[in-house]
Amino acid sequence: VQRVLRLCHDYWNQEEPAVRFGVFWDCCSLFQNPGRTKEQDERFRRSLEGILYLYMHPQITVWQQTTFPSSGFVPTGRNAMGYMQRGWTFTEFSVSTLVKDSGKVFDLGRLGDDASLRQTLVEKLHPSFPLYSALEEQCSVGTKRFPCLPENFNHKVENLSFSNGRDDRQLVQALYKASFESLFRNAEFLSYDQLDWSDEDGKDFVAVLKKGHASNLRRLELPRNRLGLRFCQSLDSAVLANTELQELVLSGNPLGNDGVAALSANVILKLESVDMENVGLASLGCQAFMDNAVLADNSFLDQSRLKILRLGNNHLGDDGIRVLVPILFNVETVELKNVGMTELGCSTLSSAFLRTKRDVRLRDLTLNDNILTDRGVASLMPLFCRLKELGLKSVGMTEEGCRGLINASRTSGAKWTHLFIGGNHVQNCRTIRTLVECT
């Protein structure tokens, strides 16, 4: 623990010199038995309610020592049961993993047999960032953790070992329920990133939401798990009915075409922000989602509340862009980085823009890392001139395309608050300076 604290201290000082932080070590900070006086026992009981708030606070990092020394030495009179078989340590684990993201809970026991990493920690007095990252990766306890409902927690602790038996068991049950209701039930933001959740894990979590256990939830992040078709099928309107959900992040999950097609338009289009970057979506999935949306409600665009849509790093292609045009024009921010869009997709988008009779809400468009070329950029000038923010990094544009942007800005009076053109074939400083004046 001492070496890990030194590692954290050195790392945090690299990020923010002279940073100050506090360390709370429960067994050393509270009066322990045997030997407590009556007054100390009363103080101990009062302190128990407070320490759980330290464990469960989303901005406090928790380090767990889940294993005994390799010598197998256990002090006389101490509980020799495993970490997850002891009541208090299981309670602390359950509270710590309730709402924290995957970078806030670490298990030092995972250093166990990794002799090389352990030796590095021993020898390194002034560790570098890569060493801290290795420790973070090695000790993260994110895998498979799941918010435990109070009734499930009560059942689990019935078979766990407590120093004071029944009295402690009833105490932690009451404390956990209070913690759950004060934190999870009132949480407005929950993040479960890279926890290796399967479809079944995701469905179980959605069932918790449908029961109203997170009724104030506004933003839910589930990126980089293994969620797919069955999870998507479970996301229905009952989730919205029992939460305040407005923002959903599903990026990095293998949803695929079938998963996206199974997502209820009544859910997706009634959110304000949806992030589905890198989910294995292609044009067939786009078509299936749109077909299902129309079948559910032909006027779905009029009912949509969607403002932000992120679909980058999917294989949409020009066909996918064509299919999604009605939605793309109906939101304020669209991110289409590296989706396989070409000059043909630009032409399709431009034609649809010129023909549409609906009000176009789009104000922020990112098309980075697509092969648009100067001709593609030129065809989209009428749309670009309506935008506030425009991303055209690494799209195969030359100075000719830049001059087209300059002329369009001058002609229309358009001024972009943000314009990104890095990674293109533009070297003329005068052209770049003139383009800057258009922002």
Side-chain angles (χ1 to χ4, degrees):
V1 172
Q2 183 184 49
R3 295 185 183 110
V4 169
L5 286 174
R6 170 66 68 89
L7 180 65
C8 293
H9 177 271
D10 292 345
Y11 168 66
W12 290 331
N13 268 282
Q14 289 180 25
E15 295 293 298
E16 184 180 346
V19 66
R20 299 180 65 187
F21 62 92
V23 177
F24 170 79
W25 196 336
D26 59 354
C27 65
C28 299
S29 303
L30 300 178
F31 294 110
Q32 300 293 323
N33 264 333
R36 276 200 306 252
T37 66
K38 183 177 180 181
E39 179 186 356
Q40 290 172 343
D41 192 66
E42 290 176 355
R43 292 171 64 182
F44 172 78
R45 296 288 168 178
R46 290 198 305 270
S47 299
L48 292 178
E49 298 184 20
I51 66 169
L52 290 189
Y53 286 97
L54 293 175
Y55 282 112
M56 70 185 181
H57 194 286
Q59 297 305 317
I60 293 179
T61 299
V62 174
W63 293 91
Q64 301 167 339
Q65 182 62 58
T66 59
T67 59
F68 292 113
S70 56
S71 64
F73 171 75
V74 180
T76 303
R78 294 300 181 186
N79 192 339
M81 298 289 288
Y83 189 86
M84 299 302 282
Q85 280 73 52
R86 285 179 281 158
W88 276 107
T89 49
F90 175 76
T91 300
E92 291 156 3
F93 171 83
S94 299
V95 170
S96 298
T97 57
L98 200 55
V99 297
K100 293 181 190 292
D101 64 34
S102 57
K104 291 291 184 181
V105 186
F106 298 95
D107 176 6
L108 300 186
R110 294 197 174 193
L111 292 176
D113 295 327
D114 193 336
S116 59
L117 180 57
R118 188 169 62 251
Q119 187 63 28
T120 303
L121 289 173
V122 171
E123 295 174 349
K124 202 81 169 178
L125 294 178
H126 299 285
S128 61
F129 171 77
L131 179 61
Y132 184 87
S133 297
L135 176 70
E136 192 174 44
E137 181 178 353
Q138 179 76 12
C139 296
S140 173
V141 298
T143 303
K144 288 292 185 183
R145 66 179 175 84
F146 190 80
C148 189
L149 295 179
E151 53 268 32
N152 296 336
F153 176 85
N154 292 345
H155 176 72
K156 289 181 179 181
V157 298
E158 286 297 329
N159 298 315
L160 300 182
S161 172
F162 286 92
S163 300
N164 293 323
R166 181 177 179 83
D167 290 343
D168 277 1
R169 185 173 291 109
Q170 292 178 341
L171 178 60
V172 299
Q173 288 173 338
L175 290 175
Y176 183 82
K177 181 179 180 182
S179 301
F180 183 91
E181 292 183 349
S182 67
L183 192 63
F184 188 81
R185 193 180 297 277
N186 293 318
E188 295 185 1
F189 165 70
L190 292 174
S191 176
Y192 300 100
D193 178 13
Q194 203 171 2
L195 303 184
D196 197 35
W197 280 9
S198 65
D199 273 341
E200 294 307 312
D201 298 318
K203 286 172 60 180
D204 289 343
F205 180 74
V206 169
V208 171
L209 299 183
K210 290 179 180 179
K211 292 178 180 178
H213 288 298
S215 55
N216 291 318
L217 182 62
R218 297 171 64 86
R219 179 177 175 85
L220 175 61
E221 297 182 356
L222 300 172
R224 298 186 293 178
N225 286 292
R226 295 188 291 113
L227 305 176
L229 173 60
R230 294 193 299 279
F231 165 77
C232 293
Q233 291 171 333
S234 71
L235 273 176
D236 57 31
S237 56
V239 174
L240 298 184
N242 290 284
T243 67
E244 298 292 329
L245 192 62
Q246 296 180 3
E247 302 175 51
L248 178 63
V249 178
L250 296 174
S251 55
N253 283 286
L255 307 183
N257 289 329
D258 291 342
V260 174
L263 287 170
S264 170
N266 288 330
V267 173
I268 298 302
L269 297 180
K270 289 185 179 178
L271 299 173
E272 291 188 1
S273 174
V274 175
D275 184 342
M276 290 194 292
E277 293 189 31
N278 189 29
V279 296
L281 177 63
S283 59
L284 289 177
C286 297
Q287 185 66 64
F289 177 82
M290 293 295 290
D291 290 345
N292 292 339
V294 171
L295 286 175
D297 185 352
N298 195 40
S299 62
F300 70 94
L301 289 178
D302 296 324
Q303 309 298 322
S304 176
R305 301 174 188 169
L306 195 60
K307 296 180 180 179
I308 301 173
L309 180 61
R310 305 188 189 282
L311 295 174
N313 295 309
N314 286 296
H315 309 293
L316 308 184
D318 295 326
D319 285 342
I321 299 298
R322 173 183 56 78
V323 170
L324 292 175
V325 160
I327 291 181
L328 301 182
F329 287 165
N330 203 52
V331 297
E332 297 175 9
T333 299
V334 174
E335 196 276 318
L336 295 172
K337 174 185 176 182
N338 186 32
V339 295
M341 183 177 175
T342 70
E343 192 179 307
L344 177 60
C346 294
S347 178
T348 300
L349 199 59
S350 177
S351 298
F353 171 72
L354 296 174
R355 292 196 312 269
T356 186
K357 297 180 180 180
R358 297 180 61 89
D359 180 38
V360 176
R361 299 169 58 195
L362 185 60
R363 293 294 178 267
D364 177 3
L365 178 62
T366 300
L367 296 174
N368 301 341
D369 301 317
N370 290 290
I371 308 176
L372 309 184
T373 72
D374 290 333
R375 291 179 60 181
V377 171
S379 68
L380 285 171
M381 288 301 176
L383 174 60
F384 289 167
C385 289
R386 292 177 57 96
L387 303 177
K388 294 297 183 183
E389 298 187 18
L390 176 59
L392 292 173
K393 295 171 64 174
S394 302
V395 296
M397 185 171 63
T398 69
E399 290 181 19
E400 178 184 343
C402 287
R403 287 193 293 270
L405 286 171
I406 293 169
N407 293 334
S409 174
R410 288 172 173 172
T411 302
S412 65
K415 289 284 185 180
W416 297 288
T417 56
H418 293 88
L419 177 62
F420 303 95
I421 60 167
N424 288 292
H425 309 294
V426 182
Q427 298 179 344
N428 190 307
C429 294
R430 183 177 179 181
T431 299
I432 295 175
R433 283 197 301 269
T434 305
L435 193 55
V436 169
E437 295 173 0
C438 299
T439 62

